Amino acid sequence: MKYIEVVAAIIRHKEKYLCVQRGVNKYPYISHKYEFPGGKIEKGESHQQALRREIQEELLMDIEVKEHLHTVEHRYPDFTIKMYAYLCTSANDEYTLTEHIHGLWLSKNELERLDWAAADIPIVQGIMRSKG
C-alpha cells in the first residue's frame, strides 16, 4: 500500500481558520471533501519549508509557520497518509485558489459543519477542544 507523508497548514487569522475544498479526485472518498491546505514534503525540505512552498503554490499566500499541533496517521482504502499539522498565521486573509474549488474562513466552533476528509477530522477535533 502506498505511504505518503504530508504537511498541513492550520492557517489562523483573526480567530478564524482557513478551510479549503478539494475538487474531483480519482479517489471518490476524498473528492469534494474539506481539508487544511498543504501537501507532500519534497526531498531535502523541512516541514516548514514544505508548508511555505505548498501554501504559496496552492493559495498564492505567504504564511508564518508556528508550532506543530498534531500528527495524524490515517489509512484510506488505497493509501496511508501521515500528516504533520502546524499552526500558521498570515498577515491578511487574502488568498487565491489554484487547486481547490472553494475556501472559507471559519471560527473554531463552525469547523464541524463541513464535510472533512477523514485524515483531517482529528485535527478539527483538536482545534475545537483547544482554548485558543
Side-chain angles (χ1 to χ4, degrees), residues 26-43:
K26 68 179 178 178
Y27 303 122
Y29 48 83
I30 58 174
S31 288
H32 296 108
K33 299 287 187 177
Y34 279 86
E35 65 182 2
F36 293 106
K40 294 178 186 166
I41 305 158
E42 292 183 357
K43 186 176 174 110

PDB file of all heavy atoms in Angstrom, residues 26-43:
ATOM      1  N   LYS A  26      -9.369  11.130  -8.088  1.00  0.00           N
ATOM      2  CA  LYS A  26      -9.514   9.740  -8.548  1.00  0.00           C
ATOM      3  C   LYS A  26     -10.018   8.832  -7.437  1.00  0.00           C
ATOM      4  O   LYS A  26     -10.536   7.761  -7.698  1.00  0.00           O
ATOM      5  CB  LYS A  26      -8.207   9.217  -9.138  1.00  0.00           C
ATOM      6  CG  LYS A  26      -7.076   9.028  -8.153  1.00  0.00           C
ATOM      7  CD  LYS A  26      -5.846   8.486  -8.868  1.00  0.00           C
ATOM      8  CE  LYS A  26      -4.676   8.328  -7.919  1.00  0.00           C
ATOM      9  NZ  LYS A  26      -3.504   7.770  -8.583  1.00  0.00           N
ATOM     10  N   TYR A  27      -9.866   9.273  -6.191  1.00  0.00           N
ATOM     11  CA  TYR A  27     -10.403   8.528  -5.054  1.00  0.00           C
ATOM     12  C   TYR A  27     -11.689   9.223  -4.601  1.00  0.00           C
ATOM     13  O   TYR A  27     -11.646  10.318  -4.037  1.00  0.00           O
ATOM     14  CB  TYR A  27      -9.401   8.484  -3.903  1.00  0.00           C
ATOM     15  CG  TYR A  27      -8.070   7.888  -4.295  1.00  0.00           C
ATOM     16  CD1 TYR A  27      -6.894   8.621  -4.152  1.00  0.00           C
ATOM     17  CD2 TYR A  27      -7.982   6.594  -4.804  1.00  0.00           C
ATOM     18  CE1 TYR A  27      -5.670   8.075  -4.498  1.00  0.00           C
ATOM     19  CE2 TYR A  27      -6.755   6.040  -5.158  1.00  0.00           C
ATOM     20  CZ  TYR A  27      -5.600   6.788  -4.998  1.00  0.00           C
ATOM     21  OH  TYR A  27      -4.394   6.255  -5.350  1.00  0.00           O
ATOM     22  N   PRO A  28     -12.844   8.627  -4.827  1.00  0.00           N
ATOM     23  CA  PRO A  28     -14.106   9.302  -4.503  1.00  0.00           C
ATOM     24  C   PRO A  28     -14.259   9.656  -3.019  1.00  0.00           C
ATOM     25  O   PRO A  28     -14.939  10.625  -2.691  1.00  0.00           O
ATOM     26  CB  PRO A  28     -15.183   8.308  -4.944  1.00  0.00           C
ATOM     27  CG  PRO A  28     -14.495   7.040  -5.261  1.00  0.00           C
ATOM     28  CD  PRO A  28     -13.037   7.319  -5.422  1.00  0.00           C
ATOM     29  N   TYR A  29     -13.594   8.917  -2.148  1.00  0.00           N
ATOM     30  CA  TYR A  29     -13.741   9.184  -0.705  1.00  0.00           C
ATOM     31  C   TYR A  29     -13.029  10.457  -0.249  1.00  0.00           C
ATOM     32  O   TYR A  29     -13.211  10.874   0.891  1.00  0.00           O
ATOM     33  CB  TYR A  29     -13.283   7.973   0.127  1.00  0.00           C
ATOM     34  CG  TYR A  29     -11.948   7.396  -0.289  1.00  0.00           C
ATOM     35  CD1 TYR A  29     -10.751   7.942   0.160  1.00  0.00           C
ATOM     36  CD2 TYR A  29     -11.898   6.299  -1.139  1.00  0.00           C
ATOM     37  CE1 TYR A  29      -9.539   7.417  -0.223  1.00  0.00           C
ATOM     38  CE2 TYR A  29     -10.691   5.756  -1.536  1.00  0.00           C
ATOM     39  CZ  TYR A  29      -9.508   6.319  -1.072  1.00  0.00           C
ATOM     40  OH  TYR A  29      -8.303   5.789  -1.460  1.00  0.00           O
ATOM     41  N   ILE A  30     -12.251  11.097  -1.116  1.00  0.00           N
ATOM     42  CA  ILE A  30     -11.704  12.411  -0.765  1.00  0.00           C
ATOM     43  C   ILE A  30     -12.164  13.517  -1.727  1.00  0.00           C
ATOM     44  O   ILE A  30     -11.855  14.676  -1.509  1.00  0.00           O
ATOM     45  CB  ILE A  30     -10.158  12.404  -0.623  1.00  0.00           C
ATOM     46  CG1 ILE A  30      -9.473  11.929  -1.890  1.00  0.00           C
ATOM     47  CG2 ILE A  30      -9.735  11.594   0.594  1.00  0.00           C
ATOM     48  CD1 ILE A  30      -7.957  12.027  -1.857  1.00  0.00           C
ATOM     49  N   SER A  31     -12.913  13.146  -2.748  1.00  0.00           N
ATOM     50  CA  SER A  31     -13.460  14.155  -3.671  1.00  0.00           C
ATOM     51  C   SER A  31     -14.430  15.074  -2.926  1.00  0.00           C
ATOM     52  O   SER A  31     -15.255  14.604  -2.142  1.00  0.00           O
ATOM     53  CB  SER A  31     -14.202  13.476  -4.823  1.00  0.00           C
ATOM     54  OG  SER A  31     -13.306  12.869  -5.703  1.00  0.00           O
ATOM     55  N   HIS A  32     -14.298  16.350  -3.172  1.00  0.00           N
ATOM     56  CA  HIS A  32     -15.173  17.391  -2.611  1.00  0.00           C
ATOM     57  C   HIS A  32     -15.123  17.497  -1.095  1.00  0.00           C
ATOM     58  O   HIS A  32     -15.979  18.156  -0.503  1.00  0.00           O
ATOM     59  CB  HIS A  32     -16.621  17.220  -3.108  1.00  0.00           C
ATOM     60  CG  HIS A  32     -16.724  17.393  -4.576  1.00  0.00           C
ATOM     61  ND1 HIS A  32     -16.962  16.341  -5.427  1.00  0.00           N
ATOM     62  CD2 HIS A  32     -16.586  18.483  -5.361  1.00  0.00           C
ATOM     63  CE1 HIS A  32     -16.978  16.776  -6.672  1.00  0.00           C
ATOM     64  NE2 HIS A  32     -16.746  18.065  -6.666  1.00  0.00           N
ATOM     65  N   LYS A  33     -14.165  16.879  -0.464  1.00  0.00           N
ATOM     66  CA  LYS A  33     -14.019  16.981   0.999  1.00  0.00           C
ATOM     67  C   LYS A  33     -13.217  18.230   1.334  1.00  0.00           C
ATOM     68  O   LYS A  33     -12.367  18.688   0.560  1.00  0.00           O
ATOM     69  CB  LYS A  33     -13.293  15.755   1.562  1.00  0.00           C
ATOM     70  CG  LYS A  33     -14.001  14.444   1.325  1.00  0.00           C
ATOM     71  CD  LYS A  33     -15.217  14.310   2.190  1.00  0.00           C
ATOM     72  CE  LYS A  33     -15.820  12.917   2.051  1.00  0.00           C
ATOM     73  NZ  LYS A  33     -16.942  12.707   2.918  1.00  0.00           N
ATOM     74  N   TYR A  34     -13.471  18.762   2.510  1.00  0.00           N
ATOM     75  CA  TYR A  34     -12.689  19.893   3.002  1.00  0.00           C
ATOM     76  C   TYR A  34     -11.429  19.367   3.669  1.00  0.00           C
ATOM     77  O   TYR A  34     -11.390  18.237   4.177  1.00  0.00           O
ATOM     78  CB  TYR A  34     -13.502  20.740   3.977  1.00  0.00           C
ATOM     79  CG  TYR A  34     -14.416  21.690   3.255  1.00  0.00           C
ATOM     80  CD1 TYR A  34     -15.670  21.286   2.841  1.00  0.00           C
ATOM     81  CD2 TYR A  34     -13.995  22.984   2.936  1.00  0.00           C
ATOM     82  CE1 TYR A  34     -16.510  22.145   2.147  1.00  0.00           C
ATOM     83  CE2 TYR A  34     -14.824  23.849   2.243  1.00  0.00           C
ATOM     84  CZ  TYR A  34     -16.072  23.427   1.858  1.00  0.00           C
ATOM     85  OH  TYR A  34     -16.886  24.276   1.166  1.00  0.00           O
ATOM     86  N   GLU A  35     -10.407  20.214   3.656  1.00  0.00           N
ATOM     87  CA  GLU A  35      -9.127  19.864   4.259  1.00  0.00           C
ATOM     88  C   GLU A  35      -8.406  21.144   4.644  1.00  0.00           C
ATOM     89  O   GLU A  35      -8.806  22.243   4.259  1.00  0.00           O
ATOM     90  CB  GLU A  35      -8.273  19.060   3.273  1.00  0.00           C
ATOM     91  CG  GLU A  35      -7.867  19.852   2.043  1.00  0.00           C
ATOM     92  CD  GLU A  35      -7.062  19.033   1.036  1.00  0.00           C
ATOM     93  OE1 GLU A  35      -6.843  17.831   1.273  1.00  0.00           O
ATOM     94  OE2 GLU A  35      -6.655  19.606   0.017  1.00  0.00           O
ATOM     95  N   PHE A  36      -7.343  20.968   5.412  1.00  0.00           N
ATOM     96  CA  PHE A  36      -6.426  22.071   5.659  1.00  0.00           C
ATOM     97  C   PHE A  36      -5.385  22.006   4.545  1.00  0.00           C
ATOM     98  O   PHE A  36      -4.941  20.927   4.172  1.00  0.00           O
ATOM     99  CB  PHE A  36      -5.791  21.951   7.044  1.00  0.00           C
ATOM    100  CG  PHE A  36      -6.791  22.128   8.152  1.00  0.00           C
ATOM    101  CD1 PHE A  36      -7.223  21.045   8.893  1.00  0.00           C
ATOM    102  CD2 PHE A  36      -7.326  23.376   8.427  1.00  0.00           C
ATOM    103  CE1 PHE A  36      -8.163  21.199   9.902  1.00  0.00           C
ATOM    104  CE2 PHE A  36      -8.273  23.548   9.429  1.00  0.00           C
ATOM    105  CZ  PHE A  36      -8.686  22.452  10.165  1.00  0.00           C
ATOM    106  N   PRO A  37      -5.020  23.145   3.959  1.00  0.00           N
ATOM    107  CA  PRO A  37      -4.118  23.123   2.807  1.00  0.00           C
ATOM    108  C   PRO A  37      -2.717  22.634   3.174  1.00  0.00           C
ATOM    109  O   PRO A  37      -2.288  22.746   4.318  1.00  0.00           O
ATOM    110  CB  PRO A  37      -4.107  24.581   2.353  1.00  0.00           C
ATOM    111  CG  PRO A  37      -4.439  25.369   3.575  1.00  0.00           C
ATOM    112  CD  PRO A  37      -5.380  24.501   4.359  1.00  0.00           C
ATOM    113  N   GLY A  38      -2.034  22.121   2.185  1.00  0.00           N
ATOM    114  CA  GLY A  38      -0.674  21.629   2.384  1.00  0.00           C
ATOM    115  C   GLY A  38      -0.323  20.671   1.279  1.00  0.00           C
ATOM    116  O   GLY A  38      -0.911  20.706   0.204  1.00  0.00           O
ATOM    117  N   GLY A  39       0.614  19.779   1.550  1.00  0.00           N
ATOM    118  CA  GLY A  39       0.989  18.826   0.523  1.00  0.00           C
ATOM    119  C   GLY A  39       2.222  18.036   0.884  1.00  0.00           C
ATOM    120  O   GLY A  39       2.679  18.043   2.026  1.00  0.00           O
ATOM    121  N   LYS A  40       2.756  17.367  -0.128  1.00  0.00           N
ATOM    122  CA  LYS A  40       3.889  16.464   0.070  1.00  0.00           C
ATOM    123  C   LYS A  40       5.169  17.228   0.368  1.00  0.00           C
ATOM    124  O   LYS A  40       5.399  18.322  -0.147  1.00  0.00           O
ATOM    125  CB  LYS A  40       4.088  15.590  -1.169  1.00  0.00           C
ATOM    126  CG  LYS A  40       2.955  14.633  -1.401  1.00  0.00           C
ATOM    127  CD  LYS A  40       3.170  13.834  -2.667  1.00  0.00           C
ATOM    128  CE  LYS A  40       1.937  12.987  -2.945  1.00  0.00           C
ATOM    129  NZ  LYS A  40       1.936  12.443  -4.285  1.00  0.00           N
ATOM    130  N   ILE A  41       5.998  16.603   1.170  1.00  0.00           N
ATOM    131  CA  ILE A  41       7.308  17.139   1.522  1.00  0.00           C
ATOM    132  C   ILE A  41       8.296  16.668   0.453  1.00  0.00           C
ATOM    133  O   ILE A  41       8.407  15.474   0.181  1.00  0.00           O
ATOM    134  CB  ILE A  41       7.742  16.619   2.911  1.00  0.00           C
ATOM    135  CG1 ILE A  41       6.670  16.945   3.954  1.00  0.00           C
ATOM    136  CG2 ILE A  41       9.098  17.188   3.304  1.00  0.00           C
ATOM    137  CD1 ILE A  41       6.718  16.075   5.194  1.00  0.00           C
ATOM    138  N   GLU A  42       8.988  17.602  -0.170  1.00  0.00           N
ATOM    139  CA  GLU A  42       9.969  17.231  -1.189  1.00  0.00           C
ATOM    140  C   GLU A  42      11.296  16.876  -0.527  1.00  0.00           C
ATOM    141  O   GLU A  42      11.600  17.326   0.584  1.00  0.00           O
ATOM    142  CB  GLU A  42      10.150  18.384  -2.184  1.00  0.00           C
ATOM    143  CG  GLU A  42       8.907  18.617  -3.027  1.00  0.00           C
ATOM    144  CD  GLU A  42       9.080  19.696  -4.075  1.00  0.00           C
ATOM    145  OE1 GLU A  42      10.149  20.333  -4.140  1.00  0.00           O
ATOM    146  OE2 GLU A  42       8.122  19.912  -4.838  1.00  0.00           O
ATOM    147  N   LYS A  43      12.071  16.076  -1.218  1.00  0.00           N
ATOM    148  CA  LYS A  43      13.367  15.629  -0.700  1.00  0.00           C
ATOM    149  C   LYS A  43      14.230  16.833  -0.313  1.00  0.00           C
ATOM    150  O   LYS A  43      14.362  17.789  -1.085  1.00  0.00           O
ATOM    151  CB  LYS A  43      14.081  14.783  -1.757  1.00  0.00           C
ATOM    152  CG  LYS A  43      15.350  14.151  -1.262  1.00  0.00           C
ATOM    153  CD  LYS A  43      15.942  13.244  -2.327  1.00  0.00           C
ATOM    154  CE  LYS A  43      17.281  12.732  -1.860  1.00  0.00           C
ATOM    155  NZ  LYS A  43      17.274  11.330  -1.538  1.00  0.00           N
TER     156      LYS A  43
END
